[in-house]
Amino acid sequence: MADLTKKIKDFMSKGNLLVSKSEEHQKMSDEILRAAKELLWCDVFKDTIKGYDWYREKSLSLGRWAIGYNYAYVLVRVLNELRPQSILECGLGQSSKIIEDYVVFEKNVRYDIVEQDQNWVNFFERDYGFTQRTCVHIRNIVETEFCPKGGIGSKTYVYENFDGIVEGKKYELISIDGPWGGDIYSRVDVLNHIPAILADDFVIMTDDFERVGEQNMVKLLKEKLDCNNIPYYEGRYDGMKDICILVSEKWRFFTTM
């Protein structure tokens, strides 16, 4: 978090830019506010995990391309309270370290990870390992034309043969942080399988929600839930990056933590 602290100090040394109407100053103000939020999420996350017996202390490299502390905090709260028995994760990363700890502790969990980079999987497995109940599905990323009903078509990226991974399964927790994003729509893989792959009580987490592609994907996801008369609640947690969480009625409080 040293880079965030430095950014805040640099900001403060230049005076209170929060009230400036300069475009450059406003951009800097927004970045500093995000950095400050991230520092707060870091403290909240570290305080929260102290009481979780399933969480093993380890190195986490959060931020930048990886999830931020806001995502990590919401994720550990969801794992600890929901105690999901079926988990789908799109994109192997820092969140996988947290989820794998939970899977090791909870003996009946089924955990599917979808990842495109075999080298990254090999590196991760060498340093951290997986339980036998974790299945890592290596799938190439392919560019495709995505056009929702009544919408504008656009090129985006999807996992090849994603259907073969999720068909016939129900997930209580879905974590979406892959594949790469698109200009208009991003990470649309689950859309064709909603609501079929959702358990009665569910949580869907989406990273990078400050981006248009993820926002449009979540909009389509909510339309799917609405069309199938599935009640849900939405929450947003801001940090250096934003996350969106959609939950079933039972887990409404996850949107207000």
Side-chain angles (χ1 to χ4, degrees), residues 181-201:
D183 293 334
I184 299 180
Y185 301 104
S186 297
R187 300 167 176 175
V188 299
D189 302 82
V190 301
L191 289 177
N192 287 336
H193 304 279
I194 299 297
I197 63 172
L198 290 181
D200 291 338
D201 294 310

Side-chain angles (χ1 to χ4, degrees), residues 41-127:
W41 284 122
C42 177
D43 287 340
V44 172
F45 170 75
K46 291 181 177 179
D47 286 341
T48 299
I49 60 177
K50 290 177 182 178
Y52 292 172
D53 51 1
W54 56 267
Y55 183 84
R56 296 178 296 177
E57 195 67 33
K58 69 177 72 62
S59 172
L60 288 174
S61 300
L62 302 184
R64 300 175 183 86
W65 279 49
I67 63 167
Y69 279 98
N70 54 345
Y71 201 99
Y73 165 71
V74 175
L75 179 60
V76 296
R77 288 291 306 272
V78 168
L79 291 170
N80 199 68
E81 305 298 332
L82 174 59
R83 297 283 170 164
Q85 298 299 293
S86 52
I87 302 170
L88 171 65
E89 182 172 43
C90 296
L92 176 69
Q94 300 303 304
S95 55
S96 309
K97 298 178 184 178
I98 297 172
I99 297 174
E100 187 65 21
D101 274 2
Y102 170 79
V103 175
V104 169
F105 187 84
E106 288 284 337
K107 301 304 181 184
N108 296 316
V109 181
R110 184 185 76 249
Y111 179 24
D112 286 324
I113 304 173
V114 191
E115 169 60 37
Q116 79 268 18
D117 189 341
Q118 181 67 66
N119 291 330
W120 171 229
V121 172
N122 294 342
F123 173 81
F124 191 98
E125 191 166 19
R126 182 195 69 192
D127 287 355

Side-chain angles (χ1 to χ4, degrees), residues 166-179:
V166 301
E167 283 182 349
K169 298 177 182 178
K170 299 280 188 181
Y171 296 101
E172 295 170 84
L173 171 60
I174 299 177
S175 175
I176 302 174
D177 194 21

Side-chain angles (χ1 to χ4, degrees), residues 1-10 35 39 62 64 240:
M1 304 302 289
D3 58 330
L4 300 182
T5 303
K6 181 178 183 302
K7 187 176 288 188
I8 292 174
K9 288 181 178 178
D10 290 345
L39 288 171
L62 302 184
R64 300 175 183 86
M240 286 301 292

